[in-house]
Amino acid sequence: MPPNDKRQTFYEDIRTRNLTPLWEVMRGLITPSPQSKCTSAIWHYSDVRGDVLASGELISAKEAERRVLILENPGMPGQSRITTSLYAGLQLILPGEIAPAHRHTQSALRFVMEGEGAYTAVDGERTTMHEGDFVITPSWTWHDHGNESDRPMIWLDGLDIPVLQFLDASFVEHWGEDEQPIQRQEGDSFHRFGQGLLPVDHSRRSHTSPIFNYPYNRTRDALDHLARTEAWDPCHGVKLRYVNPETGGHAMNTIAAFMQLLPKNFKSDPYRSTDASVYCVVEGNGRSSINDVAIEWGPRDIFVVPSWASISHITKEEAVLFSFSDRSMQQALGLWREDRKPDSN
Ligand code: GTQ
């Protein structure tokens, strides 16, 4: 028998004992650099806003439990993911609606796109949400959303759903009533933990930040100050990271989040890192190149940059970009890499 046939016969034989040869698959498993099915993509807000509002005519927030249109990466259709490890969606809450209280092992972030005055309640405390606010609902915290304003509210959800799927670690519970009881005044966690102070005997060091709303006006002030006093980073402009004030680590274990300011007439150096990133434009218009693909973005557009794809930005006006990724996970595992001078692959 020719050697190849002999091998095939061997492979078929060992398959009956649930064995398979590494040498036939090794190059696809252990690649010289990340080989992702995730592709770059952009959702222009003006293209999808109508669809989100249309979903509000079809189903209530209560019936849907969460009325969300998932942003699916075109390289991984049908998989409810925007990158290999993360999920994103646009959630709509209409005036008077409540998305009922539940908790799950998946962690979530909300980034407010449009509307003022709707709220999220997390483990007994409400927070009113404003455009540009970064709100977290950490793993296994009770949360419900409501809108007592007179305008629809739309926010970007980012969750670690694919990771929990991969780990087979998904659990969910329903509170049973629409809303969980409120136990603390609004603003309580921010007053306690968001001022650079902690109670003297405070020793709680949890996996996630005790602050759950990082308001945009504070973030914007910080960026403004740094923009006036710091040298621009050639890749990032001025870029800040949302932190857990107890530890200085990321606000959540699985998802890292950032806010950056690009000055006007900026041409950034190309940059790549192993965390695929989801960007949401807060202010300004600009252009980015992701490997060889050029995209043009404006306020509220959402775009995705795959792992190890090189990105560079060009602006004519000042721009502010929110982004999130699985960097916190990769760093916790000692896997995260960046490359400030990428050539190719
Ligand atoms: O708000 O709890 O986009 O449970 C997907 C699943 C949002 C939420 C999503 C969820 C939520």
Side-chain angles (χ1 to χ4, degrees):
M1 228 196 289
N4 260 343
D5 290 3
K6 253 167 121 176
R7 287 180 185 175
Q8 286 309 324
T9 308
F10 175 70
Y11 300 163
E12 279 159 34
D13 179 40
I14 65 174
R15 191 178 308 140
T16 63
R17 288 179 292 285
N18 298 320
L19 297 171
T20 192
L22 170 64
W23 58 88
E24 292 289 339
V25 292
M26 187 146 169
R27 279 164 208 271
L29 294 175
I30 302 178
T31 57
S33 61
Q35 299 296 321
S36 184
K37 291 205 165 54
C38 176
T39 62
S40 58
I42 182 161
W43 290 262
H44 293 288
Y45 194 65
S46 56
D47 290 339
V48 297
R49 178 178 185 269
D51 298 326
V52 174
L53 291 172
S55 74
E57 315 259 311
L58 292 176
I59 191 165
S60 68
K62 186 171 168 121
E63 191 194 342
E65 187 167 341
R66 295 296 183 262
R67 185 178 46 221
V68 178
L69 296 185
I70 301 172
L71 303 170
E72 275 205 334
N73 191 283
M76 297 176 288
Q79 296 186 35
S80 303
R81 58 188 73 191
I82 190 162
T83 68
T84 308
S85 61
L86 297 177
Y87 155 107
L90 290 171
Q91 179 157 179
L92 171 68
I93 308 267
L94 293 170
E97 285 193 315
I98 293 175
H102 69 193
R103 63 175 177 178
H104 37 67
T105 44
Q106 289 80 359
S107 298
L109 66 81
R110 330 279 169 194
F111 187 71
V112 182
M113 310 279 292
E114 179 180 338
E116 291 289 327
Y119 65 85
T120 283
V122 181
D123 271 354
E125 185 180 331
R126 259 193 197 188
T127 189
T128 305
M129 296 158 86
H130 310 278
E131 286 181 18
D133 287 359
F134 168 65
V135 175
I136 59 170
T137 49
S139 178
W140 211 238
T141 53
W142 291 107
H143 53 285
D144 48 86
H145 317 299
N147 186 349
E148 292 171 351
S149 80
D150 54 10
R151 283 206 284 149
M153 182 170 246
I154 299 174
W155 64 68
L156 174 66
D157 279 324
L159 285 88
D160 53 9
I161 290 172
V163 176
L164 279 274
Q165 215 172 20
F166 179 72
L167 298 173
D168 282 333
S170 176
F171 292 90
V172 64
E173 283 179 1
H174 296 92
W175 179 261
E177 289 166 48
D178 282 358
E179 294 179 275
Q180 61 183 304
I182 296 303
Q183 292 161 341
R184 288 182 303 283
Q185 275 183 10
E186 172 147 10
D188 186 272
S189 16
F190 198 82
H191 284 114
R192 274 175 210 270
F193 303 107
Q195 318 281 2
L197 296 162
L198 289 175
V200 65
D201 290 324
H202 178 85
S203 59
R204 189 191 99 146
R205 273 177 167 245
S206 53
H207 290 300
T208 50
S209 175
I211 301 173
F212 72 105
N213 187 347
Y214 296 74
Y216 185 57
N217 56 9
R218 294 263 187 148
T219 309
R220 191 69 178 84
D221 280 354
L223 286 174
D224 246 352
H225 176 77
L226 291 170
R228 277 183 273 112
T229 52
E230 285 286 309
W232 301 109
D233 179 283
C235 298
H236 306 309
V238 167
K239 188 164 182 174
L240 299 173
R241 176 169 74 79
Y242 290 94
V243 300
N244 175 347
E246 289 176 343
T247 61
H250 295 282
M252 293 190 289
N253 265 345
T254 49
I255 314 177
F258 309 88
M259 190 75 95
Q260 78 195 92
L261 189 147
L262 304 173
K264 85 180 204 198
N265 298 323
F266 188 58
K267 186 172 186 319
S268 80
D269 282 352
Y271 174 85
R272 64 182 173 179
S273 59
T274 50
D275 53 325
S277 297
V278 180
Y279 284 82
C280 179
V281 181
V282 191
E283 296 177 29
N285 290 275
R287 273 191 294 143
S288 300
S289 299
I290 307 169
N291 283 346
D292 298 328
V293 180
I295 54 164
E296 296 210 16
W297 42 258
R300 298 173 171 146
D301 292 348
I302 296 158
F303 59 93
V304 54
V305 183
S307 165
W308 218 232
S310 165
I311 180 158
S312 59
H313 310 286
I314 297 180
T315 59
K316 288 212 170 70
E317 58 190 32
E318 188 173 79
V320 179
L321 304 178
F322 169 78
S323 59
F324 67 91
S325 77
D326 64 13
R327 186 179 305 184
S328 45
M329 254 182 297
Q330 294 199 30
Q331 286 178 331
L333 299 172
L335 297 172
W336 183 71
R337 290 193 192 198
E338 64 177 340
D339 180 359
R340 294 179 68 94
K341 292 219 182 316
D343 34 1
S344 65
N345 285 325

